[in-house]
Amino acid sequence: MHLRHLRLLDFRSWPLLELELQPGVTTLVGRNGHGKTNVLEAVGVLSTLRSHRVATEAPMIRTGAETAMIAALAHNAGRELTVELALNSGRANRARLNTSPCRRLGDILGVVQSVLFAPEDLALVRGEPAERRKLLDELLVQRRPAHGGDLAEYSSVLRQRSALLKSASGVLRRGRGQDADAALDTLDVWDGRLAQLGARIVAGRIVLLDELRPLVVDSYRGLATESRTAGLAYRFRVAAPPDESELADPELVEAVLLAELGRRRQDEIDRGMSLVGPHRDDVVLSLGEEPAKGFASHGETWSFALALRLGSLELFRADGIEPVLLLDDVFAELDRHRRAALAEVAAGVEQVLVTAAVGEDVPNGLRGVRHDVVMTGEGAGRHSGIAVSRSATRRHDDVIGDEVTDDDQDDRGDDDTVSESEDHR
């Protein structure tokens, strides 16, 4: 699949972007803080309904606006589809497919499919379990959109169950009287629903992991030929977990979760929080006999993070899908061997979107069509724009949005003073 057009309206630093795209490589070049990553983030949000950078919509809506719009024309499986997603401040988000309003946001899942590799992916190896759960869940949502509904409902059940545990903790600790009985009855209902949804989520993750594991192991072997063998194992956080292979059975997992909820009920009441469920699980990454987290070298960590993304790409391909590959400012961080390995894979992908602070960091075979991204304006009026478009054979001097002087173009490779943690990255 590939995108033919991308439109952003009040999305982060972009008041308006109209970007024509084509199969092959498109490179966005500009200093840090000028809005390159925001473009790739928008494509990822269309793919998964989640940002790889923030947990809420608010940072993605341009300051002073109430709504951010992401729209794309996608060529997918021989069809051209238009998809729009409106991120709203203080009210529900909305989606449209081929100009028709969608009843659910999940109706647009699968129209745009992508795999993103970014420096933040080091957290997949070094970070907390939530990072690795997110990897599995986002892959599942793109391949099986119904999983998104389970995740959304599970999150709702978890919030309401946790709120009950917190608000009724005093009554529940006393354990007698009509109020306590009513709270316990309500807790039983939430337990049943949490176990049912949680079992489907765990089973889906296990099936996915069985498919993903050999692809990641092979990718890692090619990236780190002298390193130890990579491994991935699911950690199901209950007192006596079944073998991983048994976790693909949702009925068995539901029974185990219900038993664990019963066993830990008093702990949950005492602490006023939910301690059981797939929101507590992890994917343990290992190198040989040791966990990768804490034992992997810097190079091994990069290789493992990259292998997880390359394995994800191959998983889509096994489904007969060619996702858009998004490479966010990664070539400057990779050594020569890993850069060459990634470039070789990317060269065979139908469409690749690359960002770089310095164009020369991108391997020659992945230059493609180039767009220079600049930040213009002052204070609250600062915004991103496309300054120059180039290809291997011609240069376009058109400026979109604001005229850029020669001085502006000459200093595009200088160090930037806007930090990576700010909105306009």
Side-chain angles (χ1 to χ4, degrees):
M1 72 150 294
H2 62 271
L3 302 180
R4 297 183 63 86
H5 186 83
L6 179 68
R7 183 174 192 261
L8 304 183
L9 179 64
D10 288 330
F11 182 84
R12 287 206 183 255
S13 59
W14 293 90
L16 177 64
L17 171 67
E18 301 278 359
L19 186 61
E20 296 295 330
L21 296 165
Q22 59 189 21
V25 181
T26 298
T27 304
L28 303 174
V29 179
R31 292 188 290 175
N32 293 333
H34 280 200
K36 309 181 304 294
T37 294
N38 299 342
V39 179
L40 270 58
E41 178 185 26
V43 177
V45 171
L46 281 183
S47 301
T48 65
L49 302 180
R50 295 183 180 187
S51 165
H52 73 286
R53 302 162 71 191
V54 293
T56 63
E57 289 84 359
M60 293 186 281
I61 301 174
R62 182 167 165 77
T63 302
E66 295 185 355
T67 298
M69 178 74 72
I70 310 170
L73 174 61
H75 186 86
N76 191 334
R79 298 184 301 162
E80 286 201 343
L81 304 170
T82 58
V83 58
E84 298 178 5
L85 177 63
L87 305 175
N88 296 311
S89 177
R91 50 199 174 93
N93 298 330
R94 294 287 183 262
R96 296 171 68 92
L97 184 59
N98 289 337
T99 72
S100 298
C102 298
R103 294 180 60 188
R104 302 174 303 167
L105 291 183
D107 291 343
I108 67 172
L109 289 170
V111 175
V112 176
Q113 290 161 309
S114 65
V115 171
L116 182 144
F117 182 49
E120 291 91 344
D121 284 344
L122 290 178
L124 292 171
V125 183
R126 294 176 172 171
E128 299 304 313
E131 299 290 341
R132 295 176 285 278
R133 292 195 300 266
K134 182 180 177 182
L135 171 70
L136 292 186
D137 289 337
E138 287 186 348
L139 273 174
L140 272 170
V141 166
Q142 289 198 73
R143 296 177 75 219
R144 306 285 184 269
H147 185 77
D150 287 341
L151 285 170
E153 188 175 353
Y154 180 84
S155 295
S156 176
V157 168
L158 186 62
R159 284 194 301 271
Q160 294 179 76
R161 184 178 185 274
S162 297
L164 174 64
L165 285 167
K166 186 175 182 179
S167 64
S169 60
V171 171
L172 290 170
R173 280 197 295 269
R174 289 193 293 273
R176 59 181 182 272
Q178 291 184 346
D179 290 344
D181 291 342
L184 288 171
D185 288 344
T186 303
L187 189 57
D188 285 339
V189 173
W190 289 127
D191 284 1
R193 193 59 181 148
L194 183 145
Q196 184 183 50
L197 290 165
R200 295 210 294 258
I201 291 169
V202 171
R205 290 174 178 174
I206 294 299
V207 172
L208 173 68
L209 190 59
D210 284 344
E211 298 178 76
L212 182 64
R213 183 185 288 111
L215 301 174
V216 173
V217 171
D218 286 347
S219 294
Y220 184 82
R221 187 182 299 118
L223 292 165
T225 54
E226 298 182 359
S227 182
R228 298 156 289 176
T229 301
L232 298 86
Y234 194 82
R235 184 185 179 192
F236 185 45
R237 294 189 61 179
V238 297
D243 290 340
E244 185 179 295
S245 60
E246 298 180 83
L247 297 178
D249 180 356
E251 291 186 1
L252 181 146
V253 176
E254 183 177 350
V256 173
L257 285 173
L258 283 171
E260 186 72 1
L261 285 165
R263 187 183 75 84
R264 300 209 62 185
R265 171 164 285 188
Q266 193 58 50
D267 290 341
E268 292 188 317
I269 290 173
D270 290 341
R271 297 179 61 179
M273 61 189 301
S274 295
L275 303 174
V276 179
H279 64 288
R280 307 275 297 177
D281 295 348
D282 194 4
V283 179
V284 179
L285 308 180
S286 60
L287 291 174
E289 299 300 317
E290 295 176 328
K293 183 177 180 179
F295 287 87
S297 68
H298 185 69
E300 288 173 329
T301 300
W302 268 111
S303 293
F304 215 141
L306 181 53
L308 288 165
R309 294 305 187 187
L310 294 181
S312 302
L313 176 66
E314 294 304 322
L315 192 62
F316 280 112
R317 286 174 160 175
D319 292 339
I321 298 167
E322 190 74 19
V324 179
L325 181 60
L326 309 172
L327 303 177
D328 182 24
D329 208 12
V330 296
F331 286 107
E333 302 287 346
L334 301 176
D335 62 22
R336 180 179 56 83
H337 173 67
R338 293 176 180 87
R339 184 184 298 192
L342 178 56
E344 181 179 357
V345 171
V349 176
E350 183 176 354
Q351 187 174 56
V352 186
L353 304 184
V354 182
T355 67
V358 179
E360 288 68 27
D361 287 339
V362 182
N364 288 333
L366 290 178
R367 298 289 171 87
V369 176
R370 169 172 165 169
H371 300 285
D372 286 353
V373 177
V374 296
M375 184 72 73
T376 60
E378 297 292 338
R382 279 171 55 85
H383 62 273
S384 298
I386 298 293
V388 180
S389 296
R390 310 180 188 191
S391 69
T393 57
R394 61 179 180 171
R395 172 172 174 169
H396 303 279
D397 292 324
D398 296 330
V399 177
I400 300 177
D402 295 273
E403 182 176 355
V404 180
T405 67
D406 290 338
D407 290 340
D408 291 327
Q409 295 174 23
D410 288 342
D411 72 1
R412 63 180 174 267
D414 295 344
D415 290 338
D416 191 12
T417 58
V418 180
S419 75
E420 292 281 338
S421 63
E422 290 182 39
D423 233 12
H424 304 313
R425 180 176 162 213

